[in-house]
Amino acid sequence: VPRRNLGMRFIHVDEEGNFKKKDAGSDAAKKISYITMMQVRAQIVAMASTSLSQAVTIAVRYGLVRTQGYDGSGRKEVQILNYTQQQHRLFGHLACAYCFHFAGRRIMRKLKSLESAVLSGGGGSASKTSMSDLHASLSSLKAYCSDAAAAGIEDCRRSCGGHGYLVASGFPDLLNTYLQNPTVEGDNYVLPQQTAKVLLRLLEDIEGGEPMDQWRDADAAYLVDAVLADEGGGGAGRGVGFDNDPEFLLGLLRRRSCSLLTHVGERMRAGVEGGKGLQEVWNDSLVRIRRLSHAHAAVLLMTDFVKFLSSSELHDGPERSALSDLALLFGLMIIERDAGDFVGILSEEQIENVRDSVLKTLTRLRPNAIGLVDAFDFSDARLKSALGKYDGEVYTALMSSTKGDVNCMNKFDVIKPVVSLGGIGLASSL
């Protein structure tokens, strides 16, 4: 690479190839390198939204065209999207796609702001605490979102039955292209450890009575108040909010995260006091640490969704109502899936209320499903899917995909193919 094409704002390579860092702005150089790494993870979060959105769009559109079974009259066939099981399967991924979008957008803006501050000489605003907090957020979000997107794309493919397995469905290309993301920029079973280190350090500072001013604007700031108020346990205090209050659900997710953090801290402390080495204690805690990281990511995702619902970007009307239902479904399905984490926070009766609320929310979302996927504004050319055609002509597109000008395997008619077995030519009976 010619020297004139090297980026040498913070480093220098002379004509003999000797490398050295420039003294001026060395702190900025370290921060820029760190920010660059985090930007890639932020892009993976945003990519999770885009790829999962494409999969959900295909599956929902196909679910409106494909019919199976009959209604109570025995005469009218039922769209498969009208089955509650199909809604439960797909609408959760739809909620995730929107959540990932809002989180990815917010985190990219935050990184751009930090980068501008560092490059303009105001690197003081990018403190060690803020950088560590952002690193913890992106480690948890990258692991959570890329895992959920990969699993979601595959689930959307399966929801389309045998047609989802066709190349013409668009799913094989979409899934195989995406599957690198749970591994690149940190394996999803390793990254949660980065999140846990920051959160456990925060817990140690809180319990040690350290000043918390530097954490007040951090993503993990909710843990400060939660730990000080000892909100990890105790009942939810009320049974309302499951059907209509995303902020109530956000509060429950925060308490779950606080509970898991204090539990991990207590177990690690008990292990050390019991004579185990730090490395052994850490290894014993890895499964709990991953659960803690996912809980933290869920809080961040729900927080960004709730903030968008109350922002001036969204006007009152059917759009706000539909997006509010999506936010509710995101939170409810996490509680439904991870009910064991909410023992001590919710009663058995409240967990049943959550399950009932999931079904009610699915029913409210059903009429808005097509509008919510069309809002992603993917063209047919972008989706490359016969199943996700905007005009609904699924079966026409499937037949067209078999023609010779589209599928080279069908370009020529094969007449009387010959199969050679052991050197003996046998004419096909076809």
Side-chain angles (χ1 to χ4, degrees), residues 32 61-62 99 174 179 208 211 218 221 238 266 291 332 362 369:
I32 284 295
R61 287 179 178 173
Y62 180 71
C99 260
L174 179 61
L179 280 179
R238 60 188 177 117
E266 290 168 358
R291 187 180 297 121
L332 288 168
L362 293 175

Side-chain angles (χ1 to χ4, degrees), residues 245-259:
D245 191 353
E247 290 197 33
F248 174 61
L249 297 180
L250 174 58
L252 295 178
L253 294 179
R254 285 173 171 170
R255 292 176 67 179
R256 190 265 295 250
S257 182
C258 172
S259 175

Side-chain angles (χ1 to χ4, degrees), residues 175-203:
L175 181 60
N176 288 331
T177 300
Y178 187 79
L179 280 179
Q180 60 161 330
N181 289 285
T183 302
V184 298
E185 282 301 321
D187 179 79
N188 287 356
Y189 278 80
V190 176
L191 278 180
Q193 298 178 61
Q194 302 296 316
T195 301
K197 287 178 180 177
V198 176
L199 298 186
L200 287 169
R201 188 161 59 246
L202 169 60
L203 177 64

Side-chain angles (χ1 to χ4, degrees), residues 322-430:
L323 289 173
S324 180
D325 283 337
L326 273 184
L328 282 168
L329 186 64
F330 179 78
L332 288 168
M333 292 190 78
I334 288 176
I335 298 173
E336 180 185 44
R337 182 191 67 210
D338 301 333
D341 289 346
F342 293 87
V343 172
I345 299 174
L346 294 174
S347 67
E348 184 178 347
E349 180 183 1
Q350 288 171 321
I351 293 293
E352 283 302 316
N353 290 339
V354 167
R355 296 187 177 112
D356 291 338
S357 294
V358 168
L359 298 178
K360 293 175 184 176
T361 308
L362 293 175
T363 300
R364 291 198 303 271
L365 279 169
R366 169 60 185 87
N368 297 315
I370 190 63
L372 287 166
V373 297
D374 284 352
F376 294 129
D377 201 25
F378 292 121
S379 66
D380 286 344
R382 178 76 180 277
L383 291 179
K384 296 182 289 186
S385 171
L387 307 187
K389 296 285 287 183
Y390 181 77
D391 60 9
E393 294 293 336
V394 169
Y395 298 108
T396 301
L398 281 172
M399 290 303 296
S400 296
S401 71
T402 67
K403 293 180 179 179
D405 56 343
V406 177
N407 189 333
C408 62
M409 294 184 68
N410 295 333
K411 190 171 183 179
F412 303 103
D413 290 331
V414 179
I415 302 174
K416 293 185 178 180
V418 175
V419 180
S420 178
L421 297 175
I424 302 173
L426 297 177
S428 170
S429 60
L430 297 179

Side-chain angles (χ1 to χ4, degrees), residues 117-182:
V118 170
L119 291 177
S120 64
S125 61
S127 66
K128 182 178 180 180
T129 298
S130 64
M131 296 288 281
S132 296
D133 175 68
L134 196 53
H135 174 57
S137 297
L138 277 165
S139 295
S140 64
L141 285 171
K142 186 270 176 183
Y144 186 102
C145 295
S146 58
D147 264 352
I153 295 169
E154 169 64 5
D155 200 23
C156 288
R157 182 196 68 77
R158 293 183 183 185
S159 76
C160 295
H163 283 153
Y165 196 68
L166 298 174
V167 171
S169 72
F171 283 116
D173 182 53
L174 179 61
L175 181 60
N176 288 331
T177 300
Y178 187 79
L179 280 179
Q180 60 161 330
N181 289 285

